[in-house]
Amino acid sequence: MPSAAKILCIPVPNGFDMKTLKWNATITKAFDEQKLNTRFYLDRQQYVMIDQWCYDTATLWYSKYFPYLVLMHSMIFMVCAHFWFKFPGTSSKIEHFVAVLFKCLDSPWTTKALSETMYELPDKKDLGSMTGLDASLTDMANASESSLTDKSIPIKSMSFNNSVSKAQTQKSSGISGKQPLTILDKKEAEQAKALFEKVKKFRIHTEDGDILYTMYIRQTVIRCFQTLCVLSYVSVLTPQMRYIIHCRDDSHSTGCSDFFCIHGLLRLYEMLSFAYIAVIILYSSTCIYSLSWIFFCKLKEYSFAKVRKETNINDIPDVKNDFAFLLHLIDQYDSLYAQNFAIFLSDVSENKLLQINLNYEWTEEKLLQRMSNNSQNKCELHLFMLPGLPSSVYELQNLEVLKLEFISDAYIEQPISKLSLLKEMWILNSTVKVEEEALQFLKKNLQIVHVRFERPNEISYWIYSLENIRELFFEGNFHPDSKTAITLQSFREMENLKALHFRSNFAKVPIAISDIANHLYYLSIHNKKNKLTSLNNIRKLSVLNTLKLVECGLDRIPSVVFTLSNLQELDLRENNLTGMSEVAGFQNLKKFTSLKLHYNAIAVISPYIAKVTSLEHLNFNKNMISEIPSSLFSLHRLKYLTLAYNYVSVIPEEISKLQELLVFNIEHNNVSVLPGELFCCAKLRVLILSSNLIQNIPSAIGHLKQLRQLEISDNKLSNLPADIGHCPFLKRSQIVVEEDIYNTLPQSLREILQEQSEEV
């Protein structure tokens, strides 16, 4: 802009007072008019120079730079207002939030799926946090219908309106009064699953910090400070602007020292300044209001209490930090957005909605194809890694065994009462909740339950209330520190529990077994090579008849077992036993019949074993025994004797005393000769002699009229005696021997043995 447009100057006439802008009274008009005119006859270039000189030196700086100040202030305000949209740590969260919010509002789960749930699952009663879900879904659907339209909804301008504008549209399917919507298709269901996951991840990420909240406070404080500073000096300097300016040129370069100047843009600047002051006051008011909103509202905490009350979805979590701050911001426009967002924060809502798709995918026909008969010839259904329990399971009325493995959130409802044959359930690394009516049915019907878990809190408490259960299996570690005693829930309600199995890491036998001491007959503890240091609680098991302590790190037979007067069987396999001198203690247990010590390091069978005259079953497999003591043959009731995988070289002749012996297993030893007395055990049914050094099978084998199984492979045999044919119950399929050695039998005998096998 040329200086002439800014300021115009002329020399001040003699007698003109620049302060009062009037002529002095003492000066008359009798001065030489020619001289006066001469003073004003300056060269044009001199006027331009004086205009520029006076503009630079005499004009108030605020008057000169007012337009540039306004431009600079506007740029600073714009930067402060939008900095957090450009800063990586904040802009990424805002953009992600807007994207997720848009997807939540546009998702079929908020309208179509909620309405489907409302119609498909009416009047469901829930357990715990799932109570009243259907009513909440109805409210959600009605709210979505009433507030969302088919037209675009512009998001109200706010502190982050530039970003939220990306989520301005929300479409809603019309919900008719009584007409249910169709089930979500596969694509919609997959999108909804992905959206639930996105919301969860976004919540975890934004709740970890408060950078959005901090940056918003800082920018608001800076804007408040800036507006106050601008307002203070603009208010002071605006009244100081002058229309008439006195300019003095001491250099006398034009022959004049004082000049009379007029600022041509002053009136315009004055009006703009006052308008600018008004705008700044308005802007500062909004900044102060924002600060009051920040400091008087807890923006780092957001409660869905109102939503939970209105919808009865009780598991919607309150949020904090940046996630809470973003929800407070969106609430300034419409709280319904946060309410719809809350749907995707609820695990109950997710599980219930996924149940619709689960039922659609897992039909009764598909489940029937997965059913099979197990080893016990029971009708079994094994469900693996499903998001829940399909409702069509309740239609399988022939189901006897239900296995749930890695089911993230199974919910058993009242229709399970249709499964009158269901007696056994496996809960393997699964979380199972049960409706109250369904629990009453399970209490009466379930007899066998298997539970496998990673952490103790995964065990559902309702399991401890199954009053008719007969057999219970627990598998999992209760505590990483094996020296810590294990705490279980009370077994008092399990009045019919007879057998209890543990596969865990106990340091002490749980005290909870005392609750069932009067009716527990079978106790098995597989401790997975963890040292079991205390068994005192076993003393209370007055009716226990079978005790298995497997891989418990025992180095001796625990004395506490001798107090169990009704004990019939003791299994101590896979421990660290090196001796069995305590065995004499069993003589006081009149009902004791079975001792299993296989997979230990026992080198010598204690002679005191002869005192346990009630023994019928002895198992010494996988030990270090090299000799069978004669005291062992004093056990005239012995029916099962197994000494496989040891170092025995001689079978004593006293074995003939075991007239009740049914099974004799001595495979994988160093036996070279079979004594004839062995074949005096007339009741012998199973004889296992494989992997020894035997060179000859005596013909006396024909005396074993009850023999049904003979294993003699991997020896040094050259032939078999034809007397084998005198064993009427022995078939070809029950003779385990090399084919070339078997062929040494007469042809006629082999045909007879083969025919007998085929008949069987």
Side-chain angles (χ1 to χ4, degrees), residues 634-647:
S634 301
L635 305 176
H636 300 298
R637 296 183 182 180
L638 197 62
K639 296 180 180 180
Y640 301 88
L641 176 59
T642 58
L643 291 158
Y645 293 89
N646 280 282
Y647 303 96

Side-chain angles (χ1 to χ4, degrees), residues 554-565:
L554 303 176
D555 52 14
R556 56 189 296 272
I557 299 175
S559 58
V560 68
V561 301
F562 305 133
T563 64
L564 304 175
S565 57

Side-chain angles (χ1 to χ4, degrees), residues 115-328:
S115 299
E116 184 68 31
T117 305
M118 177 177 63
Y119 290 108
E120 292 292 330
L121 301 171
D123 301 328
K124 296 288 183 185
K125 295 181 180 180
D126 203 347
L127 187 66
S129 63
M130 299 182 70
T131 303
L133 175 63
D134 297 284
S136 67
L137 296 179
T138 303
D139 295 339
M140 289 285 194
N142 292 337
S144 297
E145 178 186 8
S146 62
S147 65
L148 302 178
T149 66
D150 290 331
K151 299 180 180 180
S152 299
I153 301 177
I155 303 294
K156 186 178 180 181
S157 176
M158 50 202 306
S159 59
F160 64 113
N161 58 347
N162 290 335
S163 295
V164 177
S165 62
K166 299 178 183 178
Q168 288 181 343
T169 58
Q170 165 61 27
K171 296 182 180 180
S172 174
S173 302
I175 303 177
S176 59
K178 297 183 180 180
Q179 185 177 2
L181 300 172
T182 58
I183 295 176
L184 295 173
D185 59 34
K186 185 175 182 180
K187 182 178 179 181
E188 290 174 335
E190 292 300 325
Q191 290 175 348
K193 291 178 183 178
L195 185 55
F196 272 107
E197 191 65 26
K198 284 182 180 179
V199 171
K200 289 180 181 179
K201 289 182 178 179
F202 180 75
R203 177 194 171 192
I204 293 173
H205 179 68
T206 51
E207 280 193 317
D208 284 343
D210 59 353
I211 186 172
L212 277 175
Y213 177 78
T214 303
M215 291 293 290
Y216 187 78
I217 288 181
R218 290 176 180 176
Q219 76 159 19
T220 307
V221 170
I222 291 174
R223 284 188 294 168
C224 284
F225 178 75
Q226 181 185 355
T227 54
L228 292 177
C229 291
V230 172
L231 189 62
S232 62
Y233 78 77
V234 169
S235 301
V236 172
L237 294 177
T238 297
Q240 295 181 14
M241 292 192 299
R242 295 289 183 266
Y243 178 68
I244 299 176
I245 302 171
H246 177 211
C247 178
R248 186 175 183 82
D249 181 13
D250 295 330
S251 65
H252 302 285
S253 58
T254 60
C256 300
S257 58
D258 294 308
F259 291 88
F260 182 90
C261 303
I262 296 177
H263 191 187
L265 297 177
L266 180 66
R267 302 304 182 192
L268 177 62
Y269 282 5
E270 280 184 335
M271 289 187 294
L272 292 177
S273 292
F274 286 118
Y276 186 56
I277 291 174
V279 172
I280 293 296
I281 291 175
L282 180 62
Y283 187 75
S284 63
S285 299
T286 61
C287 293
I288 293 173
Y289 173 77
S290 297
L291 278 180
S292 64
W293 179 63
I294 291 172
F295 291 114
F296 288 99
C297 297
K298 296 180 180 180
L299 300 185
K300 293 180 69 175
E301 299 176 2
Y302 189 92
S303 175
F304 287 102
K306 183 178 179 181
V307 178
R308 291 194 293 266
K309 183 178 180 180
E310 292 176 351
T311 64
N312 291 325
I313 303 180
N314 297 322
D315 76 322
I316 300 176
D318 293 336
V319 296
K320 59 183 180 179
N321 290 337
D322 280 346
F323 196 17
F325 178 64
L326 288 170
L327 291 174
H328 278 292

Side-chain angles (χ1 to χ4, degrees), residues 745-760:
L745 290 173
Q747 177 67 27
S748 59
L749 177 58
R750 282 183 284 156
E751 292 177 356
I752 294 174
L753 293 175
Q754 185 64 35
E755 290 175 359
Q756 292 174 342
S757 296
E758 292 175 356
E759 290 176 2
V760 174

Side-chain angles (χ1 to χ4, degrees), residues 3 80 154 188 199 240 392-393 529 539 557 606 698 735 737 760:
S3 62
C80 290
E188 290 174 335
V199 171
Q240 295 181 14
S392 49
V393 169
K529 297 184 179 180
R539 296 178 184 273
I557 299 175
S606 173
I735 301 175
V737 67
V760 174

